[in-house]
Amino acid sequence: LHHRFAARYTEPWPFGLRLPTTMTLAYEPGVRSPVQEYRIERIEAAVDITRRIHRVMRWWSSLVYERVNIYGIPPDREADYVDEEGISIKRRFRAALERDTRPNLFVPTSGARTRLDGEYVGGILGGAEDFYKMEGSWSRYQVVSTPTVLATRVRLAWVKSHSNSDFVPTADRFYLGGANSIRGYAENTVGPKDSTGTANGGQVVILANMELRTPMSSKVWFTFFMDVGNNFGRFREVT
């Protein structure tokens, strides 16, 4: 059994400032398994702050604190059990800045969107994982010949451990391939693979997309596209 209880509170004007803030507290009690002796208890607290700097620009940040308690495991076996079950404690700080001038978010024909994301995990925050992640993307839309629209996008991303292990968890690496990145490849199959041929994610992404979109009817569009990019295991492998 897996139970999760969460309480969330949002304050639009903390301390009289226009900084919409959401605070979340979640608790997962250690439900005892009928076949195992152990119990895993997880506590999580998060604070999210958003700030609209301009009509087309906003900034937000997030701080997440996790704590995991394991009961019923002898102290000398706890480390092996944590590795075996893949239990990790991620304490992270995120920040993002976005500028969006698209007048229509669903079918954009003009404007641009620029976004920068940064994430810091572990280190001075504690926890079991230590890495930082940076990502930037830029998209632009323009009418080249009514009603044909040229859409372009560039995305660069990098994740790296800041500890001696040089390890980044599989779930926090990057994955490419599929409808929203490099079409013609199965979902999340572009990039490093393990000995069984299963994609296990990369640490550096370079991606560029270009599309010519033209409507065939009010609800159906026809697109010529070109996708270029790759997903690399390490920065030194970028060629």
Side-chain angles (χ1 to χ4, degrees):
L1 296 177
H2 179 77
H3 296 180
R4 179 179 174 89
F5 303 91
R8 179 172 295 166
Y9 174 77
T10 299
E11 171 56 62
W13 291 84
F15 310 109
L17 301 174
R18 181 59 173 165
L19 285 172
T21 301
T22 299
M23 292 169 284
T24 305
L25 183 64
Y27 174 65
E28 297 180 12
V31 179
R32 185 179 296 278
S33 166
V35 296
Q36 300 288 346
E37 293 294 328
Y38 60 82
R39 291 186 299 126
I40 303 172
E41 178 187 69
R42 186 182 297 266
I43 301 171
E44 180 181 308
V47 178
D48 298 274
I49 301 175
T50 304
R51 170 70 174 174
R52 187 166 291 279
I53 303 173
H54 187 264
R55 182 179 60 85
V56 297
M57 185 176 293
R58 62 175 179 156
W59 164 86
W60 66 91
S61 63
S62 173
L63 179 64
V64 179
Y65 177 90
E66 267 188 347
R67 179 173 179 175
V68 174
N69 299 319
I70 303 175
Y71 302 102
I73 296 288
D76 59 334
R77 288 188 51 222
E78 185 170 319
D80 293 336
Y81 173 76
V82 168
D83 292 338
E84 179 182 336
E85 295 295 320
I87 299 172
S88 65
I89 303 172
K90 295 175 184 175
R91 298 172 184 171
R92 62 182 76 206
F93 173 76
R94 294 173 175 168
L97 179 66
E98 181 184 68
R99 185 176 188 271
D100 194 345
T101 61
R102 298 172 297 173
N104 186 322
L105 303 183
F106 298 100
V107 187
T109 58
S110 63
R113 177 177 180 264
T114 304
R115 176 165 171 153
L116 300 174
D117 287 87
E119 183 174 353
Y120 178 85
V121 179
I124 60 175
L125 301 177
E129 310 292 351
D130 300 282
F131 63 89
Y132 57 84
K133 182 185 294 187
M134 295 175 289
E135 184 169 353
S137 63
W138 173 83
S139 305
R140 185 183 180 188
Y141 308 87
Q142 56 188 127
V143 176
V144 292
S145 177
T146 307
T148 301
V149 176
L150 174 64
T152 55
R153 179 179 69 163
V154 176
R155 177 188 172 204
L156 302 173
W158 183 27
V159 59
K160 189 179 188 307
S161 170
H162 53 75
S163 67
N164 296 328
S165 67
D166 197 32
F167 173 76
V168 176
T170 303
D172 292 286
R173 300 173 198 162
F174 300 112
Y175 295 85
L176 282 190
N180 294 316
S181 57
I182 301 181
R183 287 157 282 195
Y185 291 85
E187 196 75 17
N188 297 335
T189 59
V190 176
K193 297 178 174 59
D194 61 20
S195 57
T196 65
T198 302
N200 57 4
Q203 296 187 21
V204 181
V205 161
I206 300 175
L207 177 66
N209 308 99
M210 182 177 291
E211 295 184 359
L212 277 174
R213 306 172 178 174
T214 188
M216 299 177 64
S217 68
S218 61
K219 295 185 178 181
V220 179
W221 288 64
F222 185 78
T223 300
F224 291 97
F225 67 85
M226 179 176 66
D227 302 326
V228 179
N230 207 347
N231 187 15
F232 302 93
R234 297 287 192 275
F235 189 80
R236 60 179 175 271
E237 298 173 9
V238 177
T239 60

